[in-house]
Amino acid sequence: CVQPKDLTAEVSERYVKLNWNSMVENEYYTILRNDEIIADDITTTSFNDIEINNSGTYTYTVISKKGNCSSKPSNAVPHQQDLQKRGS
């Protein structure tokens, strides 16, 4: 399994959009927020986390899976969510 690379997180209204790169096709991905699985068996290299609070600190990582193999986690991406200060 190949470790996902270049994980990024950006806020878009009331969700966090995650994007990453993979060098291998036909992989599945597990998305973790603060070391807890929030999505499994994702087949694309992006994910929208819509189940976040208006404020809080989150750290995201992604693990790739293929067959019985699981990769090391991607780079960790911290994200500070503070929509109340944005006037939302």
Side-chain angles (χ1 to χ4, degrees):
C1 294
V2 177
Q3 180 181 24
K5 303 283 184 189
D6 306 320
L7 177 64
T8 61
E10 62 182 81
V11 67
S12 179
E13 294 301 317
R14 296 196 181 272
Y15 64 89
V16 176
K17 181 174 184 159
L18 303 173
N19 290 293
W20 61 92
N21 294 319
S22 177
M23 303 302 291
V24 179
E25 294 182 23
N26 302 321
E27 287 187 312
Y28 294 93
Y29 302 96
T30 299
I31 315 300
L32 296 97
R33 181 193 329 116
N34 297 341
D35 295 322
E36 293 186 22
I37 295 172
I38 59 170
D40 203 14
D41 295 333
I42 304 298
T43 58
T44 62
T45 56
S46 65
F47 178 78
N48 293 332
D49 183 6
I50 59 173
E51 297 190 17
I52 55 173
N53 295 321
N54 284 344
S55 62
T57 300
Y58 305 100
T59 300
Y60 293 96
T61 54
V62 177
I63 295 172
S64 68
K65 301 183 299 179
K66 189 170 186 177
N68 292 327
C69 179
S70 292
S71 74
K72 292 181 180 179
S74 67
N75 57 299
V77 175
H79 181 73
Q80 177 72 37
Q81 184 75 358
D82 197 354
L83 293 176
Q84 292 170 344
K85 287 185 177 179
R86 301 174 109 205
S88 298

